[in-house]
Amino acid sequence: MNAPASRSGRADQTGQSAVEYLIVLSLCVLALALGPGSALELLVRAIAFRYQMFTFAMSQP
């Protein structure tokens, strides 16, 4: 008779994809945040500039 298939290989991989997604997401965040003129810095500067323009326009009579 054949022995039932072991599920230990599958149990060892539980949560593996979550770790992989975490690593890929961390690398993407680092790529956006590091370096001069990074995408994150440009985004923050653009938001600050637009907010400055908005507050100036709202202060006008």
Side-chain angles (χ1 to χ4, degrees), residues 3-4 6-7 10-11 17 19 21 24-25 33 40 42 44 50 55:
S6 172
R7 296 182 72 179
R10 184 177 227 189
S17 63
V19 174
Y21 281 121
V24 170
L25 181 63
L40 187 61
L42 293 174
V44 170
R50 294 295 180 185
T55 55

Side-chain angles (χ1 to χ4, degrees), residues 41-55:
E41 182 182 352
L42 293 174
L43 177 65
V44 170
R45 284 185 183 182
I47 291 172
F49 178 72
R50 294 295 180 185
Y51 184 73
Q52 184 181 17
M53 295 286 96
F54 170 75
T55 55

Side-chain angles (χ1 to χ4, degrees), residues 27-46:
L27 291 174
C28 289
V29 168
L30 283 175
L32 289 174
L34 293 180
S38 67
L40 187 61
E41 182 182 352
L42 293 174
L43 177 65
V44 170
R45 284 185 183 182

